[in-house]
Structure formats: structure tokens, C-alpha cells
Amino acid sequence: MGIVVLGAVFVDIKGYPLSAYIPGGRNAGRIEQVHGGVSRNVVEDIANVELRPTFVSLVDDTGMGQDVINKLENHKVNTKYIQRVPDGMGTWLAIFDNDGDVHAAISKRPDTTPSPAFKGKGDEIFADCDAIALELDLEKDTVKQVLHYAKKYNKKVFAAISNMSIAMERRDFLQQIDCFVCNQQEAGLLFSDDYGHLTPDEMCRVLAANVHSANIPSMVITMGGQGAVYAAPTASAAWCLPRRWM
């Protein structure tokens, strides 16, 4: 079944001003509406390298929800376990200023109750998969079920996050997965530090110490144009992904 990806779907609505942005005023501009969500993006990226992933998720029971399914199917994602339900998708509404920075944003989380398609089909979904990619801020019961099947069938679990404040409340889950992936800012929140000034080499050394103290099996931190770093609990296992790989 390839890689099984579990997580939420968002619709990203982005507004860009055509001239000088006026806070509190009327601004002519352009608006983009795209499919988003950490796990939805991940499963599409996996499909783009022709690994034929399976997506377990919820979408709205509307035309927009069907659009999400259609696009993923066009990328050769297995959508058999996507369930259409009321309020199945979240929304991220953002206004950008003239520098391309987010000036204001509102996010509505979807209903992440375990999908009816997931119930009773855990063995079918996970028994023959190659690995599992999980959005860690899903409902706790969903995460627990996934970890149960991962242990039952000896599958590696790679986790990402869309809301770090939730991950910070679930440190026990971080210790049960094989690798946690987040960006530099999110890592700073997780470890109560500021990593914005660190180079990849410095980030490797800091991260190796942190995953050791936090008892996290391994982590990847993305660093934008600088690439990414990986660390396991021992300093000798820390290494950097060159910038050219990103």
C-alpha cells in the first residue's frame, strides 16, 4: 500500500495587495484559494515522486471536498480512505503585506474526529504499508490507534505538526515515533529556545543534545534555504543535510 499518510485538510485563502497595503483600509488585490494542510501537502509530495501513497483523512461533503479528492487522485494518491463529512476541512485565511509577510491571519481547525473510514479497517490500512506519516495534532484517540497498529505491524512512524502548542502537550507521543519533523521556529517552541540565529552545523549539535535529553528517537528540522538537519539521541549520530538537497 506504500506510505500511509494521516492528517487534516485545509483550504488556504490568501490575499495580496496590488498597491501599498493600508491596515484597516480597503485594499484592492488578488486572492488565491488553494488546497493545503500539512499532511495533504506531504501526501501530494510523496505522490509526485511516484511512491503511490494512501491518504486517510476527512473532507467537506461539498464540491470543495470533492475537488480535494479529485486533485489527489490526479496525482495518483489512493483516496479510498478519505471520508466526506460536514465540516471535514479547516480554513486558513491570511492577508499578506507588500513585503510578502503575513499581516493578519485566522485559522479554523477542522473536525478531526477519527474518520468513519478508519474505524474497523486498521488492519486493512496498516498491515501491508511501507511506513506511516502522521500529523501529530490529530485527536488523541486517532494518534493512539495509529501507534497501536504501527507497533502491531512493526511499521516506522514519521510525524509532522501543524500546531506546535498541541505537540508540546504530547511529548509522550514524540517518544513513541521514529522521527519527528518540524521547522526551525517550531523546534524553538518545543525546546523553549531561539534557534533563528543558528547555522546548520550549530543546529546539528544543539539538536543532538535536545533529542537525547527529551528521549525522542530522532528529529529533522527544516531550515528554509539552508536545508535541513537530522539528529538522533547521540551526538555521533547527528549530521546535516546539505543545502543542495533541499
Side-chain angles (χ1 to χ4, degrees):
M1 191 179 285
I3 300 172
V4 173
V5 181
L6 301 96
V9 173
F10 277 73
V11 175
D12 296 343
I13 303 173
K14 306 175 182 179
Y16 300 88
L18 293 178
S19 57
Y21 178 72
I22 305 173
R26 294 179 177 271
N27 294 272
R30 60 186 175 87
I31 296 176
E32 296 180 359
Q33 183 168 291
V34 296
H35 302 160
V38 171
S39 295
R40 195 222 65 87
N41 294 343
V42 166
V43 78
E44 184 175 307
D45 289 340
I46 293 172
N48 285 340
V49 293
E50 300 185 358
L51 292 180
R52 305 295 178 91
T54 293
F55 194 31
V56 181
S57 187
L58 304 175
V59 297
D60 287 352
D61 56 350
T62 63
M64 178 62 76
Q66 188 60 49
D67 285 344
V68 171
I69 294 174
N70 292 344
K71 182 179 180 182
L72 291 175
E73 289 180 344
N74 288 338
H75 285 270
K76 298 181 180 179
V77 174
N78 179 4
T79 63
K80 177 181 178 180
Y81 301 103
I82 297 178
Q83 185 77 15
R84 299 180 63 186
V85 298
D87 196 29
M89 301 189 303
T91 305
W92 185 60
L93 172 65
I95 298 175
F96 292 78
D97 60 23
N98 298 100
D99 295 322
D101 297 323
V102 175
H103 180 81
I106 296 176
S107 181
K108 180 188 79 70
R109 286 191 58 77
D111 178 3
T112 57
T113 302
S115 166
F118 180 83
K119 294 179 179 179
K121 297 186 178 180
D123 295 291
E124 176 182 324
I125 293 171
F126 299 109
D128 297 321
C129 73
D130 296 323
I132 301 168
L134 171 68
E135 193 170 325
L136 204 59
D137 46 356
L138 294 176
E139 291 294 328
K140 277 190 174 183
D141 286 344
T142 300
V143 177
K144 289 178 179 179
Q145 287 180 52
V146 173
L147 295 177
H148 163 75
Y149 285 109
K151 183 176 181 180
K152 180 177 180 179
Y153 292 109
N154 194 28
K155 305 298 181 180
K156 290 188 177 298
V157 179
F158 301 85
I161 195 76
S162 62
N163 188 330
M164 181 53 76
S165 63
I166 296 178
M168 292 167 65
E169 299 172 356
R170 300 180 177 183
R171 295 177 186 268
D172 56 329
F173 287 157
L174 293 176
Q175 297 172 359
Q176 299 177 55
I177 62 176
D178 294 277
C179 186
F180 179 52
V181 183
C182 66
N183 63 34
Q184 198 169 0
Q185 181 182 20
E186 291 167 338
L189 293 173
L190 179 63
F191 295 116
S192 301
D193 205 346
D194 180 11
Y195 298 145
H197 62 289
L198 298 183
T199 66
D201 287 339
E202 292 169 334
M203 190 73 255
C204 272
R205 292 191 291 272
V206 170
L207 184 59
N210 284 342
V211 296
H212 176 75
S213 62
N215 196 28
I216 298 173
S218 67
M219 277 187 69
V220 170
I221 294 181
T222 60
M223 301 181 68
Q226 296 186 83
V229 301
Y230 164 88
T234 59
S236 60
W239 53 279
C240 295
L241 297 176
R243 181 174 179 173
R244 65 178 180 273
W245 286 15
M246 301 303 291

